[in-house]
Amino acid sequence: MAMQRLDKIICAAGLATRSEVKKLIKSGAVAVDGVVASDGGMKLETGAHTISCCGKPVNTDHSRCFMLNKPKGVLSATEDREQKTVLDLFSPELRALGLFPVGRLDKDTTGLLLLTNDGELSHKITSPRHSVVKCYEALVDGELTEQDAASFAEGIELRDGTKCLPARLKLDPAEASRAQVYISEGKYHQVKRMLAALGKPVLELHRRSIGALELDLALSPGEYRELSDEEIELLFTK
Ligand code: URA
């Protein structure tokens, strides 16, 4: 039986920061099973109580997942002493959910990055066992060829000897220095290292999709929105 503090449950629902929750409880705005609660530290069995805040029900289903259009220049990390991280782009209420990036994009890579507070979901997306395919748009220094696409299909050997799983390089008929790369692994700097192994260093990299979930084009760089349950299912749709 999982027990959690009342103030933590309300924070995790994304309604307010820890200090705001304290004030809300003090002002009598929070009720548990219809009774006004005065102690934020009271321990409750997860999912066993009806909690309301300012008269509205608190969603105690804690799993949350957001898509971010990651801009260039921010780290895929939760915090950093010197540099801006993707968490810095989120509101304090949402940061209080305990979100973290699912896998990572390099500082100079843009596009679809998921953030969740659900370790199980994150593991499912990143674990090689589920082979979730990620699609990247790459601009390289050089011209990509059918031979390069064949090398991808065979499985690229990185310069350090690491062998990658077979992957897909879809050439752009309009521009030989551009292609889409489809991989189901998540090795460190994988796409850059795969293309570098072919002597075509990456100049720009943008993640377009994870599984069948595409980056929402309505999101400008730095903007995010929550995923629906149907969109989470798309992550595991081939
Ligand atoms: N592969 C890379 O090389 N960089 C990324 O950011 C993502 C995949």
Side-chain angles (χ1 to χ4, degrees):
M1 178 168 61
M3 304 290 281
Q4 223 185 352
R5 287 174 60 107
L6 173 61
D7 48 10
K8 274 203 156 178
I9 293 174
I10 297 171
C11 273
L15 293 178
T17 60
R18 200 76 188 260
S19 57
E20 287 166 348
V21 169
K22 247 187 174 174
K23 285 186 203 151
L24 284 165
I25 292 173
K26 220 172 164 189
S27 72
V30 173
V32 177
D33 297 329
V35 179
V36 172
S38 56
D39 177 14
M42 76 189 286
K43 293 266 180 77
L44 299 170
E45 187 186 339
T46 327
H49 300 272
T50 305
I51 301 169
S52 67
C53 183
C54 304
K56 292 194 187 123
V58 173
N59 179 7
T60 53
D61 170 10
H62 294 161
S63 176
R64 308 281 297 268
C65 190
F66 295 79
M67 71 156 76
L68 166 72
N69 183 358
K70 181 190 169 297
K72 265 191 188 166
V74 291
L75 297 181
S76 296
T78 50
E79 55 186 356
D80 190 87
R81 281 221 210 129
E82 280 145 31
Q83 302 189 60
K84 191 167 172 171
T85 73
V86 287
L87 256 298
D88 293 327
L89 299 166
F90 281 71
S91 67
E93 288 77 14
L94 293 179
R95 280 206 298 274
L97 293 174
L99 299 175
F100 58 88
V102 176
R104 60 190 297 278
L105 290 179
D106 296 334
K107 189 176 167 186
D108 59 353
T109 300
T110 57
L112 178 58
L113 182 68
L114 300 176
L115 290 103
T116 184
N117 59 353
D118 183 340
E120 227 172 275
L121 176 65
S122 170
H123 178 71
K124 206 171 154 196
I125 298 166
T126 52
S127 147
R129 209 161 59 85
H130 291 95
S131 354
V132 174
V133 175
K134 293 126 203 150
C135 171
Y136 295 86
E137 289 168 351
L139 171 70
V140 301
D141 184 6
E143 298 198 344
L144 294 160
T145 62
E146 290 295 347
Q147 178 55 52
D148 294 328
S151 304
F152 262 68
E154 231 169 71
I156 298 270
E157 186 170 324
L158 302 179
R159 285 182 170 157
D160 66 0
T162 307
K163 189 100 171 74
C164 298
L165 290 175
R168 180 168 176 224
L169 182 73
K170 186 175 171 215
L171 304 177
D172 182 336
E175 216 177 325
S177 56
R178 288 188 188 276
Q180 286 175 13
V181 177
Y182 296 81
I183 55 171
S184 56
E185 300 174 280
K187 298 189 199 303
Y188 183 61
H189 294 325
Q190 181 156 350
V191 175
K192 290 178 183 166
R193 288 159 76 209
M194 287 169 100
L195 287 161
L198 299 177
K200 320 268 164 88
V202 168
L203 301 175
E204 279 177 21
L205 195 60
H206 175 85
R207 185 155 64 192
R208 183 183 154 152
S209 61
I210 301 177
L213 179 73
E214 301 252 343
L215 175 65
D216 183 341
L217 297 178
L219 295 176
S220 299
E223 289 186 339
Y224 56 83
R225 70 163 175 78
E226 189 154 17
L227 297 188
S228 65
D229 290 347
E230 291 73 28
E231 286 176 320
I232 290 177
E233 272 177 33
L234 284 179
L235 294 166
F236 306 105
T237 306
K238 308 255 181 229

